[in-house]
Amino acid sequence: MKIGLTSVSGLALLIGISGLASPAWSQDAPPSSEKATQVEEIVVTGSNIRGSALDAALPVEVYSQQALEKQGSPSALEFAKSLTISGPTTGESYYFGGPALVGSVNYNLRGLGADKTLILLNGRRMNQNTANMPSIALARTEILKDGAAVIYGADATGGVVNFITRDRFVGLEAQGQYKYIDGSKGDYSVGVMGGIGEDKVNLLVSAEYEHRSRLNTMEREFTKASLKPGLGYNPAPWSTLTNLTGWIPRGALPAVPSATDTGEWGPAVGGIVSDFTAASCAAVGGRYDNNFTCAYNYIPYYRLVENQDTYRLYAQLKADISDSMKFHMDASYGRVTLPQVMGSPAQPVSRGPALATGAVNQFYVPISNPFAAEFAARNGIVGAQGFTPVTYRLFGHGGNPYYSGGDGFGVADRIDNKVWRISGGINGDLGDLAPFAKKVGYDFALTYNDAYNYNTHADTIGFRLQEALNGFGGPNCHATDLDPARFGTQNAAAAGKNGCLYWNPFSSSFKGQPVLGLSNPNYVAGDENPKDLALWMFDPRAVETLSHNFTADLVFNGQSGLKLPGGEIGWALGAQYRSLANRVNVPSAFNNGSVQCEWPTNTTSANGAGSGNLSPTPTPTTDPNFRGCTPDAPGPFVLFAPTLPSQAEQSQYSLFGELQVPLFSNVDIQLAARKEKFSNDLGATVYKVSGKWNVWGPLTLRGSYGTNYQTPPLGVTPGAITVAARTYTVAASNWLAAQFITDADLKPETAKTSNLGAIWQSRGFADDHKFRLIVDYFDIKTKDQIGQVADPNQIASLVFNGAGGTITTCDPAKQPLLARITFNAGCVVGMSGVGTFSAVSTRYGNGPGQTTKGFDIQANYGLPVGPGDLDVNLTATRVTELRTGATTLDGVTISTGDDRLGTLNFATFAQAAPKWRANLGVNYGLGRQNFRLGVNFVSAVKDERAGVQYGEDGENWITTDFTYRVELAGDMALTLTAANIFDRDPPPAQEEFGYDPWTGNPLGRTFEIGVKKSF
């Protein structure tokens, strides 16, 4: 299922657009084409009162599996991304959006964030990672498009997605699909499901396997818009931090090192000596910026889609214990594995092992390094005792031929995520258990969710690189350090001998750009860096995260005996207990905080003549004992900070009640309230009122208003510092470090949600026609939203606010945000943001809230045409407002409030917010055959960043799909789908892949065949 449509007038939109969803109706018969897809057992999403009609007062979209089969059975990711009520969705191979999320489909209703969408399986909580959702066993998916914290507790501000499995399936069913994708080996899946027991006990078991095949970036033309710098090219995937740089010749090393480049490496004895020319830079696909910057395009090393395997197992047991008691238990398991999520050949250097902080002059190559001597001779340099690079990256041009075992030329992450869940409970009437309350219903359940997430995110170990530049690199080097006055091994006689290796940092070390097939004219045969030395430079930075979630639910419901003109008042009372636990394991000593600084603990350095040796422990830069390790204990990596092991637990208790008040035969009101308490002394009381009024015949009005809440994420530690990479506009869009410091006074975020809808259902232009139209207005306001308080890119732009992105003041009294910038060599008025800073810090805490408003439209028109039935369906969402509140940091107004509607929202990490999303489906059923044409639409978003960007105004994305399905003899069905028939590329955007992966997809035209067989 794809996404798209076109900008048309409101009237044309109503007539011509449609979607895949149809709301569940209880009071009238559905259109003729829907009769075959009705289900007997009703699970109500959004109410605890039995018998509450699905269309009572709440906006619920229902997607039956039969309807989805007519669209070619979209994958979980395709389904999630196609929802018009959904915002940016994770799950693609999008390295820059968090590689650990690849393959883990999250739902993001209303674009408020996946953490604000509650996921249920058969009405019970499940993990946000829906990898264990048993797609083959589903009967339907219900989506509540309204806040539901009163009914379900926290995490439901944006809405609820409830997956509901088949009821008492008997038989055997198998299915398989294959999707042809140009440039790829294709995607495929198989599944089998069996069920036994037609009487009081029924057992259902299913197993599924899905595979996605690799799709390289160079297989699509739209990614190539970044390869050749020039007018209209995409500059996003270019980095000025590369292994082709300029070198500064240095004199003798100072006897006593100090925290400046000359104080540690010696005075410069000449100007910058470039390791390339404009011609040799271009020869390897580089962009010549200046004599120390041959920028490189890293996107050829990445992939649009990675090899991905998903496994699912599901078992469900239903039993009638007695006439008044039923038992239900289900267990589900899911696993998503990606052997590779390819990234850059090496991370950029935002800091190194030098005493002075920053990204420049962090490494030193002594003239004793044979490659340094060769470089000096080649460039006619005399008298230099060593060289420092202006900036540097371990690998860039030439790729990394070793880390991924030759299967690609980048540094690949590995992902292995496992999710399992078990839920069991009983429900029925109290009956013999309590004769006085015979008509009182009960529902008791216990649910346990468990998630294991493993991912790597490799980085260069800075001090190892420096050791190798000195000739003491490699896993087999054990030379004795003869000079403890300096960091690193000092033993000239042992350098480059007995297992000790030299690193060649110069342009002579690589043959060429391997992905594009370009040759390096500076390459010298035999000067390559050896594999074991290159691998020794990296730590995979593996992290294991284990999450547990236990929930106990007990609900009583019934009729009160109090009768109103519209009927008897219904009620529900309940309690819920939740226990959450999270543990982060970090096996590597380099990554778990054991090595606090750029040099390992207990490495010594003298603090001046006659002084004792010092350990490089974190010390303020103004302290006379400062040895290059700042108080934030940045660890040994050149970009990322350590990932500290952690453990957190939290308990939640809540009581809730609900009333259904049928005031009149045509007026029904529902009231609900919940009080919740958390083990960390936080709590919330929320309420909700909703109602339905059947005005006359075909017209019904409905509305709701309620409050919701969201607690701080489990494991958030006040004062904790997290480091990630971000791209900065004033730094020529380079990726540099960003620090997120967690506030000590976090509190829950809250929200107010309201919905007002009109429902029209009647005959159409003839008696045998059916027409249905639903229009809902939604309004959601969040407050004290938890997350980054100010975006690092915005902070940098406010500091470098002069012409061309330059500094206008270095006075912290005039610009308090200066303290949040880590400069490479101090602040100088007039200097550019390019190559002058290495990191920006910001707060993680309660920030401004969001307001989002708009309309949902659902329409269906069904009529007989010839020997078959024609249905035209509409699902569309028009967002009319999406605004973020004002932001201040350190007394500075970062933003007066962002109008995010219709923009790419790059400042919020590419959370695109289109005004319109809509889906059109024209379906014709002819006996055993079904024909469906789908047109899908996402409106254009504008890039809000200053200046002219690639894809500045975006484009409407319109795709067209066609599916043919036929039921063959022997209970077999064949489905053929052509998706994106006109092979439309996703809209251009100044992002690394040239498009927005959280909204679009890069597959182009695809062809799919599916077979389903019942036995």
Side-chain angles (χ1 to χ4, degrees):
M1 214 166 13
K2 304 292 183 286
I3 309 168
L5 189 75
T6 186
S7 293
V8 291
S9 69
L11 178 61
L13 184 68
L14 178 61
I15 296 174
I17 311 173
S18 158
L20 52 89
S22 58
W25 284 81
S26 60
Q27 66 231 47
D28 295 307
S32 59
S33 63
E34 294 182 355
K35 292 179 180 178
T37 67
Q38 296 299 294
V39 292
E40 295 181 3
E41 183 180 356
I42 297 297
V43 177
V44 179
T45 301
S47 176
N48 287 307
I49 300 176
R50 289 190 300 175
S52 175
L54 283 174
D55 66 328
L58 302 177
V60 178
E61 291 183 3
V62 181
Y63 298 80
S64 71
Q65 286 303 98
Q66 292 93 334
L68 293 179
E69 286 175 353
K70 293 177 181 179
Q71 300 175 53
S73 297
S75 68
L77 179 60
E78 290 171 329
F79 173 67
K81 292 181 75 169
S82 74
L83 295 173
T84 65
I85 56 178
S86 184
T89 302
T90 63
E92 292 283 9
S93 299
Y94 187 36
Y95 180 95
F96 306 98
L101 300 175
V102 173
S104 302
V105 180
N106 286 185
Y107 287 79
N108 179 12
L109 300 185
R110 302 301 185 198
L112 296 174
D115 61 325
K116 297 175 184 61
T117 298
L118 182 62
I119 307 298
L120 305 176
L121 179 61
N122 292 320
R124 309 297 180 196
R125 284 180 176 256
M126 69 181 300
N127 198 286
Q128 283 185 0
N129 178 354
T130 58
N132 61 329
M133 185 273 294
S135 59
I136 192 174
L138 292 182
R140 66 190 185 279
T141 302
E142 297 180 358
I143 300 180
L144 173 61
K145 307 178 294 182
D146 199 13
V150 175
I151 303 301
Y152 299 109
D155 311 328
T157 298
V160 178
V161 179
N162 190 7
F163 299 103
I164 300 171
T165 56
R166 298 198 198 187
D167 183 37
R168 295 181 178 272
F169 172 79
V170 176
L172 181 65
E173 187 174 289
Q175 63 184 37
Q177 290 177 283
Y178 174 78
K179 178 184 293 183
Y180 169 80
I181 302 170
D182 185 34
S184 162
K185 293 182 179 179
D187 298 350
Y188 47 87
S189 64
V190 293
V192 61
M193 176 178 63
I196 58 173
E198 299 185 62
D199 194 10
K200 292 186 176 182
V201 179
N202 177 265
L203 174 65
L204 181 153
V205 178
S206 68
E208 299 169 79
Y209 168 71
E210 295 179 0
H211 177 79
R212 297 196 74 185
S213 295
R214 176 183 301 165
L215 180 64
N216 292 316
T217 53
M218 294 299 99
E219 293 291 342
R220 292 294 180 266
E221 289 299 318
F222 58 82
T223 64
K224 299 177 182 178
S226 67
L227 292 183
K228 294 183 178 180
L231 184 64
Y233 87 117
N234 175 20
W238 285 83
S239 175
T240 58
L241 304 177
T242 80
N243 60 333
L244 286 184
T245 185
W247 296 84
I248 300 175
R250 297 285 180 177
L253 292 172
V256 178
S258 59
T260 65
D261 64 316
T262 57
E264 186 165 14
W265 311 125
V269 294
I272 295 174
V273 181
S274 181
D275 194 17
F276 55 89
T277 62
S280 66
C281 174
V284 292
R287 184 188 69 200
Y288 186 91
D289 289 358
N290 49 54
N291 67 340
F292 60 89
T293 305
C294 175
Y296 93 110
N297 188 321
Y298 47 81
I299 209 61
Y301 300 110
Y302 290 74
R303 293 168 184 151
L304 294 169
V305 180
E306 296 283 5
N307 283 324
Q308 173 183 318
D309 294 299
T310 302
Y311 308 84
R312 298 190 188 98
L313 296 173
Y314 179 72
Q316 171 181 289
L317 177 65
K318 290 189 174 185
D320 295 337
I321 299 175
S322 68
D323 292 340
S324 60
M325 182 182 293
K326 295 183 178 181
F327 172 79
H328 175 100
M329 184 177 74
D330 61 59
S332 57
Y333 170 82
R335 182 180 183 186
V336 180
T337 63
L338 291 91
Q340 291 186 332
V341 179
M342 195 62 70
S344 288
Q347 299 294 353
V349 173
S350 66
R351 64 172 180 270
L355 297 181
T357 59
V360 298
N361 299 305
Q362 284 295 310
F363 297 96
Y364 176 77
V365 189
I367 198 67
S368 57
N369 182 315
F371 304 108
E374 191 178 271
F375 176 76
R378 187 165 59 247
N379 290 279
I381 301 170
V382 178
Q385 298 301 302
F387 299 90
T388 57
V390 179
T391 59
Y392 187 65
R393 183 192 296 248
L394 187 67
F395 288 103
H397 297 284
N400 185 334
Y402 306 122
Y403 192 88
S404 300
D407 187 14
F409 296 92
V411 171
D413 292 342
R414 186 163 71 88
I415 309 296
D416 191 356
N417 294 336
K418 304 172 187 177
V419 187
W420 70 273
R421 172 189 183 274
I422 185 168
S423 180
I426 55 174
N427 65 82
D429 297 325
L430 288 179
D432 296 335
L433 297 177
F436 62 89
K438 190 175 295 186
K439 294 184 179 181
V440 173
Y442 65 90
D443 191 346
F444 173 71
L446 302 175
T447 303
Y448 179 80
N449 286 279
D450 185 280
Y452 168 87
N453 300 310
Y454 174 90
N455 68 277
T456 66
H457 204 31
D459 197 0
T460 305
I461 304 170
F463 78 86
R464 284 191 172 179
L465 173 56
Q466 184 58 65
E467 288 277 64
L469 292 172
N470 290 340
F472 300 102
N476 300 314
C477 182
H478 306 290
T480 303
D481 183 11
L482 301 181
D483 183 4
R486 292 187 180 279
F487 290 132
T489 305
Q490 308 296 323
N491 188 335
K497 301 175 183 177
N498 300 320
C500 296
L501 303 173
Y502 279 106
W503 181 260
N504 180 5
F506 300 104
S507 61
S508 60
S509 63
F510 63 96
K511 293 182 179 180
Q513 213 287 5
V515 179
L516 302 177
L518 305 175
S519 298
N520 174 19
N522 291 348
Y523 168 64
V524 176
D527 278 8
E528 305 92 342
N529 287 300
K531 178 179 180 180
D532 56 346
L533 177 59
L535 295 179
W536 179 77
M537 299 286 196
F538 290 91
D539 184 89
R541 299 183 64 251
V543 176
E544 297 176 329
T545 303
L546 295 87
S547 304
H548 313 287
N549 184 334
F550 171 75
T551 305
D553 292 293
L554 176 61
V555 179
F556 296 99
N557 59 75
Q559 299 297 310
S560 66
L562 300 175
K563 293 188 177 181
L564 298 175
E568 195 170 353
I569 295 177
W571 61 270
L573 290 173
Q576 183 183 80
Y577 168 76
R578 293 181 62 207
S579 174
L580 301 90
N582 177 278
R583 187 170 78 250
V584 177
N585 298 327
V586 186
S588 169
F590 289 123
N591 194 32
N592 64 15
S594 297
V595 179
Q596 293 183 297
C597 303
E598 287 85 345
W599 288 93
T601 303
N602 297 323
T603 301
T604 56
S605 177
N607 193 38
S611 66
N613 294 324
L614 301 175
S615 187
T617 53
T619 307
T621 55
T622 55
D623 191 299
N625 294 329
F626 175 66
R627 280 293 166 266
C629 185
T630 49
D632 60 346
F637 301 113
V638 299
L639 179 62
F640 295 114
T643 305
L644 302 182
S646 63
Q647 186 168 324
E649 296 181 355
Q650 180 176 286
S651 297
Q652 301 175 204
Y653 310 82
S654 62
L655 298 173
F656 51 90
E658 187 180 354
L659 288 177
Q660 184 174 3
V661 185
L663 292 178
F664 305 101
S665 60
N666 62 341
V667 178
D668 189 15
I669 294 177
Q670 291 175 310
L671 307 172
R674 174 183 287 253
K675 183 176 181 59
E676 187 142 2
K677 189 73 175 177
F678 302 89
S679 56
N680 54 5
D681 293 327
L682 295 174
T685 300
V686 291
Y687 60 89
K688 186 170 187 174
V689 57
S690 55
K692 178 192 71 170
W693 174 28
N694 180 227
V695 181
W696 63 277
L699 177 63
T700 298
L701 300 180
R702 67 184 179 193
S704 66
Y705 177 83
T707 56
N708 295 271
Y709 63 99
Q710 194 82 13
T711 57
L714 184 66
V716 170
T717 304
I721 299 175
T722 302
V723 177
R726 290 291 187 270
T727 181
Y728 294 93
T729 303
V730 297
S733 296
N734 273 310
W735 286 80
L736 301 173
Q739 293 182 335
F740 301 88
I741 305 172
T742 304
D743 287 348
D745 56 350
L746 274 179
K747 57 184 177 180
E749 63 180 75
T750 58
K752 296 178 181 179
T753 62
S754 58
N755 188 89
L756 182 64
I759 306 168
W760 180 280
Q761 180 168 287
S762 67
R763 61 183 288 275
F765 295 109
D767 290 339
D768 56 354
H769 294 194
K770 292 286 186 178
F771 174 63
R772 180 171 58 199
L773 173 66
I774 302 175
V775 179
D776 281 297
Y777 170 77
F778 62 89
D779 185 338
I780 303 175
K781 296 181 177 68
T782 66
K783 182 181 179 182
D784 295 323
Q785 185 162 326
I786 300 170
Q788 67 176 25
V789 174
D791 182 72
N793 184 49
Q794 289 178 308
I795 295 172
S797 295
L798 286 172
V799 173
F800 292 87
N801 60 2
T806 56
I807 288 278
T808 57
T809 179
C810 291
D811 184 353
K814 296 180 180 178
Q815 177 53 275
L817 295 178
L818 282 166
R820 294 191 172 273
I821 308 293
T822 301
F823 292 100
N824 294 331
C827 178
V828 177
V829 173
M831 73 181 185
S832 165
V834 180
T836 59
F837 71 99
S838 59
V840 175
S841 69
T842 188
R843 286 174 44 217
Y844 181 92
N846 293 108
Q850 294 186 78
T851 297
T852 181
K853 301 177 183 179
F855 295 89
D856 294 327
I857 303 170
Q858 295 172 260
N860 174 273
Y861 197 97
L863 70 159
V865 174
D869 292 310
L870 177 68
D871 284 291
V872 180
N873 300 303
L874 162 69
T875 300
T877 297
R878 169 64 163 98
V879 181
T880 59
E881 181 177 340
L882 182 60
R883 183 176 294 277
T884 303
T887 302
T888 60
L889 182 67
D890 302 336
V892 178
T893 298
I894 304 296
S895 169
T896 57
D898 294 329
D899 182 3
R900 297 178 51 205
L901 185 60
T903 64
L904 183 64
N905 292 304
F906 195 82
T908 54
F909 214 52
Q911 299 285 302
K915 295 180 180 179
W916 273 105
R917 295 189 64 162
N919 300 320
L920 164 70
V922 180
N923 194 88
Y924 184 67
L926 181 63
R928 291 177 172 269
Q929 301 181 80
N930 193 83
F931 306 82
R932 184 184 185 277
L933 180 69
V935 180
N936 317 292
F937 170 77
V938 179
S939 64
V941 294
K942 182 178 178 63
D943 195 319
E944 78 283 3
R945 287 172 285 182
V948 178
Q949 314 295 331
Y950 172 78
E952 172 85 10
D953 296 320
E955 293 177 1
N956 295 333
W957 192 28
I958 309 166
T959 59
T960 305
D961 310 328
F962 179 77
T963 299
Y964 170 72
R965 181 176 174 83
V966 58
E967 296 179 4
L968 304 172
D971 292 325
M972 179 179 289
L974 176 68
T975 305
L976 302 173
T977 299
N980 193 1
I981 296 173
F982 301 109
D983 200 21
R984 288 289 304 273
D985 287 339
Q990 190 166 306
E991 299 186 50
E992 285 74 19
F993 291 144
Y995 80 106
D996 176 16
W998 286 359
T999 302
N1001 79 62
L1003 302 183
R1005 182 192 299 116
T1006 64
F1007 300 95
E1008 185 169 351
I1009 181 171
V1011 179
K1012 181 178 179 181
K1013 169 69 175 175
S1014 299
F1015 301 89

